């Protein structure tokens, strides 16, 4: 069985871990939430790159066979340096603008992501690979990560802020919306309330986990006989609240796994 590190600025990467536990339940996981420093999306590129590299080095030092950077912002700012520095498979996540452009009927696509992701060279380069017959309405979701981190994914405050952020996307008539931050799949209910059932929501967790599976298969780690592996939740802020948010936000039944939660000490 492989040991897989999953890292995010906070609880957003739980949307990826959830999918990983669905597709690859037999493996062992360390989920690292840097909630003491969330949101990353409003920090400088240098800070994000440095911190992300240090946390991935930490996960590698704990014996991870592969790491999923379950954060669009950290992927955009740091995946190149991380891949250069750490010799294990590193899987990143980026806004699904390609599948969105393919699925949109009217070629108007909203992209909700963090400011850092939208401003990053990596995202701009990705946009430039697409034919320009599709119009992308890009919107930074300032403040949303903080609300989700504080357990308010379904609150009235979140709905109000989301309504403001989604207005330009709605006004432009987008029929497809890219959830370009791993925290945002937890806003699905609120987004549906505001935009209705007909808009197509794109999140890339399924594709990310399929990519993880391909990489793990190549590693040929020993196959065990257990159906479910372990999950260690590490938080730089509060391990008990990370565990209870994981139980609330994820659809995976964590009772099937050997689960532990710990505080993350200082990492340099
Ligand atoms: N979950 C993250 C992402 O996918 C980061 C959000 C943040 O910390 O700003 O971008």
């Amino acid at each position: 069985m492989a040991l897989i590190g999953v890292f995010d600025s906070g609880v957003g990467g739980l949307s990826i871990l959830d999918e990983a536990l669905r597709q690859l339940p037999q493996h062992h996981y360390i989920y690292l939430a840097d909630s003491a420093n969330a949101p990353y999306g409003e920090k400088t590129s240098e800070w994000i790159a440095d911190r992300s590299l240090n946390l991935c080095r930490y996960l590698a030092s704990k014996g991870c066979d592969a790491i999923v950077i379950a954060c669009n912002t950290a992927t955009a700012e740091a995946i190149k340096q991380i891949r250069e520095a750490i010799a294990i498979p590193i899987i990143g996540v980026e806004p699904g603008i390609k599948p969105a452009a393919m699925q949109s009927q009217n070629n108007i696509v909203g992209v909700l992501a963090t400011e850092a992701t939208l401003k990053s060279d990596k995202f701009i380069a990705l946009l430039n690979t697409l034919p320009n017959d599709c119009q992308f309405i890009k919107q930074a979701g300032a403040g949303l990560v903080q609300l989700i981190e504080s357990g308010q994914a379904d609150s009235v405050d979140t709905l109000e802020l989301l309504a403001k952020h989604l207005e330009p996307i709605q006004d432009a008539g987008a029929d497809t919306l890219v959830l370009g931050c791993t925290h945002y799949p937890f806003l699905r209910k609120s987004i549906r309330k505001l935009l209705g059932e007909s808009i197509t929501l794109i999140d890339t967790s399924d594709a990310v986990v399929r990519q993880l599976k391909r990489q793990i298969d190549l590693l040929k780690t020993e196959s065990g006989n257990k159906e479910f592996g372990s999950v260690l939740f590490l938080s730089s802020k509060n391990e008990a609240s990370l565990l209870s948010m994981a139980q609330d936000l994820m659809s995976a039944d964590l009772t099937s796994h050997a689960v532990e939660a710990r505080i993350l000490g200082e990492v340099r």
Side-chain angles (χ1 to χ4, degrees), residues 182-199:
T182 53
H183 281 75
Y184 300 164
F186 298 125
L187 298 174
R188 269 174 194 276
K189 236 194 269 160
S190 302
I191 293 172
R192 289 270 175 231
K193 247 187 223 166
L194 293 163
L195 301 184
E197 291 300 319
S198 64
I199 190 152

Side-chain angles (χ1 to χ4, degrees), residues 8-9 12 38-41 70-73 114 117 145 180-183:
D8 181 43
S9 62
Y40 278 16
C71 174
N72 292 263
T73 311
T114 69
T117 297
V145 165
C181 166
T182 53
H183 281 75

Side-chain angles (χ1 to χ4, degrees), residues 6-223:
V6 180
F7 146 67
D8 181 43
S9 62
V11 298
L14 293 173
S15 59
I16 305 272
L17 178 67
D18 206 9
E19 185 60 31
L21 292 180
R22 207 178 63 76
Q23 291 187 37
L24 305 165
Q26 71 279 28
H27 293 291
H28 302 293
Y29 293 87
I30 300 179
Y31 182 84
L32 196 164
D34 194 14
S35 295
N37 291 301
Y40 278 16
E42 291 154 38
K43 293 193 158 65
T44 65
S45 302
E46 293 69 29
W47 188 95
I48 298 165
D50 244 47
R51 180 72 179 162
S52 303
L53 177 58
N54 287 344
L55 293 179
C56 288
R57 278 204 167 110
Y58 172 83
L59 285 171
S61 78
K62 294 292 157 200
C64 287
D65 299 298
I67 295 174
V68 182
I69 306 176
C71 174
N72 292 263
T73 311
T75 300
E77 302 289 13
I79 195 163
K80 194 164 174 282
Q81 296 94 305
I82 294 170
R83 283 190 171 138
E84 280 164 8
I86 304 174
I88 56 173
I90 308 287
I91 295 99
V93 40
E94 58 188 13
I97 55 175
K98 249 185 221 174
M102 277 159 62
Q103 287 186 44
S104 172
Q105 299 293 313
N106 68 0
N107 288 337
I108 307 174
V109 169
V111 185
L112 189 63
T114 69
E115 197 185 326
T117 297
L118 295 175
K119 283 204 309 217
S120 68
D121 295 343
K122 199 163 189 305
F123 178 73
I124 293 164
L126 180 66
L127 261 185
N128 288 337
T129 62
L130 297 182
N132 50 14
D133 56 356
C134 186
Q135 190 191 347
F136 291 98
I137 318 296
K138 300 176 284 292
Q139 176 66 45
L144 292 173
V145 165
Q146 292 91 319
L147 285 163
I148 298 163
E149 286 289 318
S150 63
Q152 296 188 61
D154 296 323
S155 76
V156 175
D157 286 355
T158 303
L159 201 66
E160 274 173 14
L161 183 61
L162 197 52
K164 251 205 324 227
H165 288 324
L166 292 178
E167 203 178 285
I169 292 172
Q170 202 167 15
D171 289 351
D175 68 352
T176 306
L177 174 66
V178 176
L179 306 177
C181 166
T182 53
H183 281 75
Y184 300 164
F186 298 125
L187 298 174
R188 269 174 194 276
K189 236 194 269 160
S190 302
I191 293 172
R192 289 270 175 231
K193 247 187 223 166
L194 293 163
L195 301 184
E197 291 300 319
S198 64
I199 190 152
T200 305
L201 301 181
I202 304 282
D203 98 72
T204 52
S205 46
D206 172 54
V208 170
V209 174
R210 277 187 282 118
Q211 172 64 5
L212 169 66
K213 183 176 182 318
R214 279 192 287 273
Q215 298 281 346
I216 295 292
D217 287 347
L218 291 175
L219 292 175
K220 301 201 172 41
T221 50
E222 239 175 75
S223 55

